[in-house]
Amino acid sequence: MDDPGSMSAHPRSEPDWIRLYRETLRPLYAYVSRRAGSDRELAEDVTHEAWLRALEAWRGAGFPRDPLAWLKAVARNLLSNYYRRRRPEGIDAGEAAAEIGLEREELAPETPRAAALLHWGLARLRAPQARLLESFHFDGKGVAALAAELGLSERAVEGRLRRSRLALRDRLAPYFHPPDA
Amino acid sequence: MDHEPDPQFAEHLEWQIRTELRRSDRFARPAHPPYLRRLGVAALALLSLSAGAGGVMAAEHMQAAQERAAAQRQRELLLLRAGVLEEMSASRVEIAGRQLARIEQMHASGVASDETVASARVDCEQAQREQRRRQLDREEIEAGGVEPSDDLLAPLVDGRDFVAERLELEIEGVRRVLAAVVERHTRVARLFEAGLGSSQEVTEAELEVARADAEIRVLARRLDVRLAWARGEVQGERVLLLAMQAESEARLDAQRQHAALAARRLAQQRQMVEAGLAAPDPGLEAQVVAAEGEVRLLEIELELLANRLSAQQGSGAPEGEGRGR
């Protein structure tokens, strides 16, 4: 796999930077927004901060080989740090199903509080489980792609995804309360 | 669901990037070699001194600024290093995960043994704990700006007890090792009873269990002492003495077990010699003598530590350093 962090050509001019900015802004923002449960303010702050860090790092060392992957990695760390410091609120079990997507076997947080809860749960899973769920649900990698990447059969990947979702549900269970509670 | 950036935000960020690029191009300071920077600082300091009291204050101010800048540089360097180590540990977790997946597949098709799967699982968990430890180190640097410390008297950092958190993680790791060696001991003992293994293997497995058990007890006692220190119940030198005592006690237990096993092996050997099935082995006798000698030394060490602790209790414990950083 290519290392997104390895540096290539030095940026030469302002138009180079702006072209790169325009190319990466939408996918970067979408990446952050999906993880942040469409929390616009948070998505903008993280996108902004990721780009400021890119300016600082790339000005001296040059553009990385895969700038978007670099930006996403920074954004992912910023989000993890942000959610690590926030204890999630309890959530109505019915709403949780709809907002996080547990019942549909999809993990797409639709609200900021669902995103906070989901990230909190992911941070408490074993790293390979969390990474698998994130790759599948957030990065949109299919079972076949994951199977090839992990050297597993597609059936084994499906099994792992199922077990990881169950583990996530266990971690989140204390934060769900009955609809009438 | 809309995951499109707001056009105003996009424009504003673009404007900010343009501005920042132009600003840095226009006002970038030429890089001077370090010796010129030092000369500049020295010249400024001389000028300040020659300007009297105001000059002294300016020099002090400058020194404070330099110290702050040095602390900031140190923090950045430590964070950079911690980040690299954390990334490396994440790669190790990934590799161990893949290895485990492969072995589980082999196990499912009957090619790999239970023991191989168990060992790969332990490796994988170990890699995850290592990653967590690196993460804790990085968090400690972020919170305190200094190198992480495992010293039992290290101050709390931003209200967090990183020493205790790392000890808990370590205990969890050794507990997992203990479970694995207990499992191995059971398996080896079963094989021996069925006439398929040697008593030597059983003894070695027993020793591994004793070692892991002793290690857990040392760590658990260190954690107790640390928590007692954090609650203000013990202070200063007493913390270190209690930790030493815990370690010696656990080592003594393990050594006693080792000596007993060596004696048992010697007795078995003698029986075989008497039955004409083996030649005498002076090495085994020497091992028993050495193991018993080590037990005695540890007993003396513990007596000395106990005396020191009770003398200290009589005279009142010295104050420790502050608990917060």
Side-chain angles (χ1 to χ4, degrees):
Chain A
M1 202 160 50
D2 263 0
D3 173 11
S6 62
M7 298 296 170
S8 60
H10 272 249
R12 280 172 295 274
S13 60
E14 191 181 305
D16 287 340
W17 280 91
I18 296 305
R19 197 176 315 117
L20 187 59
Y21 166 73
R22 288 182 181 164
E23 277 168 16
T24 56
L25 178 67
R26 287 175 69 179
L28 174 65
Y29 183 87
Y31 173 90
V32 177
S33 173
R34 265 198 298 274
R35 282 167 159 75
S38 302
D39 184 338
R40 190 164 280 281
E41 212 170 275
L42 177 62
E44 288 182 354
D45 285 350
V46 169
T47 307
H48 189 159
E49 182 63 26
W51 251 100
L52 290 186
R53 289 192 186 190
L55 266 178
E56 204 179 317
W58 301 349
R59 212 184 281 141
F63 289 146
R65 203 170 303 284
D66 185 347
L68 182 58
W70 193 102
L71 287 162
K72 282 181 175 177
V74 171
R76 186 180 184 278
N77 289 338
L78 289 168
L79 277 171
S80 304
N81 288 343
Y82 171 77
Y83 284 118
R84 200 178 293 134
R85 290 191 214 107
R86 287 164 58 97
R87 197 162 183 84
E89 298 166 27
I91 190 168
D92 180 286
E95 287 172 10
E99 289 182 14
I100 300 180
L102 282 174
E103 296 306 323
R104 299 191 302 275
E105 295 212 335
E106 288 170 6
L107 293 174
E110 291 183 0
T111 61
R113 69 172 180 168
L117 188 57
L118 177 58
H119 283 275
W120 189 89
L122 286 172
R124 272 141 193 89
L125 288 186
R126 291 195 296 117
Q129 287 184 319
R131 209 167 300 127
L132 184 68
L133 288 176
E134 287 187 28
S135 298
F136 184 76
H137 293 289
F138 290 145
D139 300 337
K141 284 188 186 167
V143 170
L146 286 169
E149 203 173 282
L150 296 170
L152 294 172
S153 69
E154 293 188 17
R155 218 168 142 191
V157 170
E158 280 164 3
R160 282 188 180 203
L161 277 168
R162 196 173 51 252
R163 286 194 294 278
S164 303
R165 282 192 207 102
L166 285 174
L168 177 65
R169 186 192 292 268
D170 283 347
R171 300 293 184 286
L172 297 182
Y175 290 88
F176 295 162
H177 46 75
D180 296 324
Chain B
M1 191 63 51
D2 177 21
H3 296 300
E4 284 288 315
D6 179 65
Q8 269 187 330
F9 162 74
E11 268 173 41
H12 174 75
L13 185 51
E14 185 173 319
W15 169 83
Q16 201 172 0
I17 290 169
R18 281 182 196 280
T19 314
E20 181 57 30
L21 285 167
R22 282 181 208 154
R23 189 194 62 75
S24 62
D25 280 351
R26 282 190 184 134
F27 306 115
R29 281 188 300 176
H32 293 302
Y35 66 89
L36 279 184
R37 276 204 297 273
R38 279 198 294 274
L39 270 178
V41 168
L44 256 175
L46 274 174
L47 200 67
S48 304
L49 280 171
S50 65
V56 172
M57 278 174 71
E60 279 174 359
H61 183 73
M62 195 165 65
Q63 192 183 351
Q66 279 177 327
E67 280 168 6
R68 272 199 303 278
Q72 179 62 20
R73 265 199 306 279
Q74 190 206 5
R75 183 176 188 275
E76 280 166 10
L77 280 174
L78 287 170
L79 275 175
L80 185 72
R81 183 171 169 272
V84 170
L85 290 173
E86 199 177 343
E87 273 173 29
M88 280 165 63
S89 65
S91 307
R92 273 195 286 271
V93 168
E94 189 124 15
I95 291 166
R98 281 189 199 163
Q99 177 74 358
L100 175 61
R102 260 194 298 275
I103 289 173
E104 276 175 346
Q105 260 185 329
M106 289 162 72
H107 182 253
S109 49
V111 184
S113 66
D114 290 351
E115 196 172 350
T116 312
V117 177
S119 155
R121 201 163 285 146
V122 169
D123 287 348
C124 195
E125 288 169 358
Q126 181 59 34
Q128 285 166 2
R129 273 189 298 275
E130 176 64 19
Q131 186 186 18
R132 176 70 192 129
R133 172 167 176 128
R134 296 296 178 197
Q135 203 180 335
L136 280 173
D137 286 351
R138 196 238 314 132
E139 286 170 7
E140 182 165 359
I141 297 168
E142 278 172 353
V146 293
E147 188 117 33
S149 168
D150 282 331
D151 192 313
L152 286 179
L153 290 171
L156 303 186
V157 180
D158 198 18
R160 270 180 79 177
D161 190 347
F162 285 96
V163 176
E165 285 185 49
R166 275 190 290 265
L167 276 171
E168 279 165 7
L169 198 64
E170 226 175 313
I171 290 171
E172 192 189 315
V174 186
R175 230 176 237 144
R176 193 65 193 85
V177 171
L178 177 64
V181 292
V182 165
E183 209 173 296
R184 180 176 134 71
H185 175 254
T186 313
R187 198 169 42 247
V188 170
R190 219 175 18 235
L191 285 172
F192 176 66
E193 278 164 23
L196 297 169
S198 70
S199 63
Q200 175 87 7
E201 278 177 319
V202 179
T203 309
E204 275 166 15
E206 275 177 26
L207 275 175
E208 277 178 12
V209 172
R211 266 197 292 268
D213 186 51
E215 203 178 336
I216 285 185
R217 276 183 293 135
V218 170
L219 290 169
R221 283 289 299 274
R222 279 179 74 82
L223 181 59
D224 284 346
V225 172
R226 170 70 183 183
L227 295 175
W229 171 83
R231 288 192 299 267
E233 292 165 10
V234 284
Q235 286 152 354
E237 193 194 347
R238 193 168 177 79
V239 171
L240 301 177
L241 287 173
L242 284 169
M244 282 169 73
Q245 189 186 39
E247 198 166 328
S248 298
E249 277 172 3
R251 271 171 52 210
L252 177 60
D253 282 354
Q255 193 57 40
R256 276 185 180 141
Q257 210 159 342
H258 179 66
L261 287 171
R264 201 201 303 164
R265 212 185 305 160
L266 179 62
Q268 284 167 350
Q269 163 77 6
R270 278 183 180 152
Q271 278 177 347
M272 288 173 78
V273 171
E274 277 167 23
L277 296 169
D281 182 354
L284 269 181
E285 282 186 41
Q287 273 180 29
V288 173
V289 172
E292 283 169 353
E294 185 69 20
V295 167
R296 186 61 203 129
L297 277 175
L298 283 166
E299 282 170 349
I300 293 169
E301 191 177 304
L302 267 171
E303 278 167 28
L304 288 171
L305 278 169
N307 289 342
R308 184 84 183 263
L309 276 163
S310 58
Q312 206 195 34
Q313 202 159 23
S315 65
E319 282 299 316
E321 286 176 23
R323 286 179 172 73
R325 189 191 286 161

